[in-house]
């Protein structure tokens, strides 16, 4: 099966993004296959899976939701011409070359989900298709981070993490404050 998402831009331009893997994660984190650097998009927002049976979208617990044809979904199959809305962006689903033509104006009108949050009205300036990069091995030894009941998501950017150095040589290399 040949599937892709077609990004519909407000200026009428379109960008086709082939779905080459069985499962691709969309989000703002750098390890996502389709990266959308926007506060309106969760770190791991949703995933798109492609199989011989079809294409499906599954929300990964995003804050602002994943929408298909303006309907919020947790998990749903998508069909050629369906419109997927994520964080202020609209993607048209193309499967095996169908639909051949996508009207940008109609797609934005039919797919963009109205928001009441002022921050959510700004559209992301870019979308990056990337291959997840392997993590670099840590250069220092860190003590395990304890979960605080107040901390919520440990990956949340509002949580401050401290890295304690165990090695005296490492301490000597650090600049004096």
């Amino acid at each position: 099966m040949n599937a892709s998402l077609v990004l519909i831009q407000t200026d009428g331009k379109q960008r086709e993004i082939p779905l080459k893997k069985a499962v691709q994660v969309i989000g703002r984190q750098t390890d996502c296959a389709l990266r959308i650097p926007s506060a309106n998009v969760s770190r791991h927002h949703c995933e798109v899976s492609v199989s011989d049976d079809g294409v499906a979208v599954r929300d990964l617990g995003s804050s602002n939701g994943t929408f298909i044809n303006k309907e919020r979904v947790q998990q749903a199959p998508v069909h050629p011409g369906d419109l997927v809305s994520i964080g202020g962006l609209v993607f048209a689903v193309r499967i095996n070359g169908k639909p051949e033509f996508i009207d940008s104006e109609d797609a934005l009108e039919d797919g963009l989900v109205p928001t009441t949050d002022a921050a959510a009205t700004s559209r992301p300036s870019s979308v990056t298709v990337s291959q997840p990069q392997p993590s670099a091995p840590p250069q220092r030894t860190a003590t395990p981070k304890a979960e605080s009941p107040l901390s919520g998501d440990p990956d949340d950017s509002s949580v401050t993490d401290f890295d304690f150095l165990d090695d005296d040589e490492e301490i000597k290399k650090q600049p004096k404050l």
Side-chain angles (χ1 to χ4, degrees), residues 19-167:
L19 300 172
K20 295 181 180 180
K21 295 182 180 179
V23 177
Q24 293 190 23
V25 176
I26 300 173
R28 74 170 191 264
Q29 196 73 19
T30 56
D31 65 343
C32 292
L34 181 59
R35 184 170 179 264
I36 305 171
S38 169
N40 301 327
V41 177
S42 295
R43 286 174 185 84
H44 294 103
H45 196 96
C46 66
E47 68 180 19
V48 180
S49 57
V50 179
S51 70
D52 291 336
D53 296 333
V55 180
V57 173
R58 181 171 69 102
D59 188 85
L60 297 175
S62 67
S63 299
N64 293 324
T66 301
F67 297 82
I68 298 175
N69 301 322
K70 289 190 176 179
E71 183 179 327
R72 190 171 184 156
V73 298
Q74 291 304 310
Q75 183 169 350
V78 290
H79 304 94
D82 280 348
L83 300 170
V84 179
S85 180
I86 301 166
L89 293 176
V90 174
F91 297 89
V93 177
R94 182 173 280 156
I95 301 173
N96 295 328
K98 304 287 183 201
E100 290 180 34
F101 174 76
I102 299 167
D103 182 286
S104 295
E105 189 176 323
D106 288 346
L108 286 173
E109 184 179 320
D110 295 343
L112 194 58
V113 178
T115 59
T116 56
D117 182 3
T121 59
S122 64
R123 290 175 52 91
S125 60
S126 65
V127 173
T128 305
V129 179
S130 63
Q131 296 296 326
Q133 299 298 317
S135 303
Q139 295 181 356
R140 296 183 265 168
T141 305
T143 56
K145 297 173 186 141
E147 283 272 330
S148 165
L150 301 176
S151 68
D153 180 2
D155 290 334
D156 191 279
S157 60
S158 64
V159 176
T160 303
D161 291 332
F162 294 96
D163 197 16
F164 296 99
L165 302 174
D166 294 336
D167 187 339

